[in-house]
Amino acid sequence: MRRQAWVLVVLVGGCFTTDLDPTKGGVFACSDEPEGECADGQDCVNGRCEASSELPTVQIGFPEDEQDIGLGVDTPIGGRRTLNITMSGTLDLAPAGDDDVFGEGHLEVIVDGQEPLIVESGALSAIVQLDVVLDNTIGAHRISVRAIRNDGTRYDHAAGSATRLFWISDGVTPLIGIKRPWPGSEFPLEATPIEVEAAVLNFALQAANPTGGVADKTGHAHVYYARDILPCIMDADGCDKQYLTTIVMKETPGQLTIPDTVAGSFPISVVLRNINHSLYLFDSTPDDDVDDGVPIVDEVAVTRR
């Protein structure tokens, strides 16, 4: 926990240290420095110590974590569809621009990297619903919800934001989706250890074995950084063997170190592989004579600064 910074009050004719309540929220400054911690029962939010029991929270109810909502029947593949999502929490919703009051604010909802939708009214304690529009495409889809203070500052404690990966699936095609890092996550310019967590659908993760051969919809994932992934994994002289780590089970993230770089945005990619490390190719029409298998990949962009 972060410790509070005591305030020295200077008055005409002398000075003294005030007898302030160390548990009072929003008074004491805090930081990640060794002497910048808050008192027990408090957390550091936007540079101020606040009571842990009063921190505003947000959650996503629907879609559920890794839920497959299917292609539906009313929208063609590739068309635009409407999805009704639900959110809850303890943030008191208020219009943006009101006087800044801790615990109040609005929601910023982002679906698949589109322009944010703003929610300023309703009662999160009773669940808030929101219609969002997204592409009806087979693969991983993402929702993020962030609590924003009345002055436009994002609440920076962990429970002040929520993310959700879900699927739109045809029930057959194997899929993979990166859950961590989330798109837009920021990392320093120097070499940095990170974890990459991925989920799969219609595919079984299994430890790699160079002599294990291949099995139907079974294998592991390779993780790449800063690669134009589709062209280079299909090229024998490309980046196919330049993966930085593997993911062999859902509960165990890939551990890797992203290298030194300049500032900018760079992709992290995951690619499904066969048990023997060869590139997994999914053929949706295996009974015909055409070899038209395609790789199964997912990618998110992270920021280095």
Side-chain angles (χ1 to χ4, degrees):
M1 306 298 291
R2 294 181 172 89
R3 300 171 186 156
Q4 69 279 2
W6 292 101
V7 179
L8 188 67
V9 177
V10 180
L11 299 177
V12 176
C15 64
F16 62 93
T17 303
T18 58
D19 187 13
L20 296 178
D21 180 0
T23 64
K24 187 174 179 58
V27 173
F28 298 107
C30 54
S31 70
D32 292 327
E33 299 301 321
E35 298 302 319
E37 297 180 348
C38 295
D40 289 343
Q42 293 185 324
D43 287 282
C44 191
V45 181
N46 301 125
R48 293 286 172 181
C49 293
E50 304 286 356
S52 301
S53 61
E54 298 178 4
L55 303 189
T57 64
V58 295
Q59 296 94 34
I60 300 170
F62 178 84
E64 297 180 5
D65 187 38
E66 298 179 31
Q67 181 176 352
D68 178 10
I69 66 170
L71 282 166
V73 296
D74 299 325
T75 308
I77 296 178
R80 299 281 282 174
R81 66 185 287 183
T82 299
L83 181 68
N84 182 260
I85 69 172
T86 63
M87 299 164 289
S88 61
T90 62
L91 178 73
D92 290 330
L93 294 176
D98 278 3
D99 291 339
D100 188 43
V101 177
F102 187 79
E104 290 187 0
H106 58 277
L107 299 178
E108 180 186 77
V109 181
I110 299 176
V111 180
D112 288 344
Q114 301 177 114
E115 286 296 314
L117 301 173
I118 305 301
V119 179
E120 300 179 319
S121 61
L124 285 176
S125 59
I127 300 180
V128 169
Q129 301 183 57
L130 177 67
D131 284 338
V132 301
V133 179
L134 69 160
D135 291 334
N136 192 41
T137 52
I138 295 173
H141 294 262
R142 296 174 177 86
I143 299 170
S144 69
V145 178
R146 293 177 173 177
I148 310 295
R149 300 180 73 139
N150 295 341
D151 64 0
T153 304
R154 182 170 74 90
Y155 283 97
D156 62 0
H157 62 293
S161 62
T163 61
R164 179 59 41 88
L165 180 141
F166 64 100
W167 310 101
I168 293 178
S169 167
D170 60 4
V172 177
T173 304
L175 300 174
I176 187 167
I178 297 173
K179 300 184 73 173
R180 184 161 51 103
W182 197 255
S185 296
E186 295 186 358
F187 298 98
L189 299 181
E190 62 268 18
T192 304
I194 70 168
E195 292 184 339
V196 176
E197 179 185 358
V200 296
L201 185 69
N202 305 321
F203 192 85
L205 289 174
Q206 180 175 317
N209 181 352
T211 62
V214 300
D216 185 43
K217 296 184 179 179
T218 303
H220 59 284
H222 285 180
V223 183
Y224 299 82
Y225 175 75
R227 301 293 182 182
D228 185 7
I229 198 63
L230 284 176
C232 68
I233 60 171
M234 298 297 290
D235 183 354
D237 298 320
C239 70
D240 186 61
K241 296 181 180 180
Q242 298 174 16
Y243 58 95
L244 298 182
T245 190
T246 63
I247 297 175
V248 299
M249 61 180 63
K250 178 181 176 181
E251 295 77 13
T252 306
Q255 308 277 343
L256 70 149
T257 297
I258 49 178
D260 292 338
T261 186
V262 297
S265 179
F266 301 91
I268 292 177
S269 310
V270 290
V271 181
L272 288 184
R273 314 295 297 197
N274 289 305
I275 298 170
N276 64 4
H277 283 294
S278 63
L279 180 62
Y280 177 83
L281 298 173
F282 175 66
D283 187 351
S284 60
T285 55
D287 296 329
D288 63 20
D289 296 327
V290 180
D291 185 10
D292 55 359
V294 295
I296 305 297
V297 306
D298 189 43
E299 184 173 282
V300 300
V302 297
T303 300
R304 306 293 296 276
R305 66 176 68 203

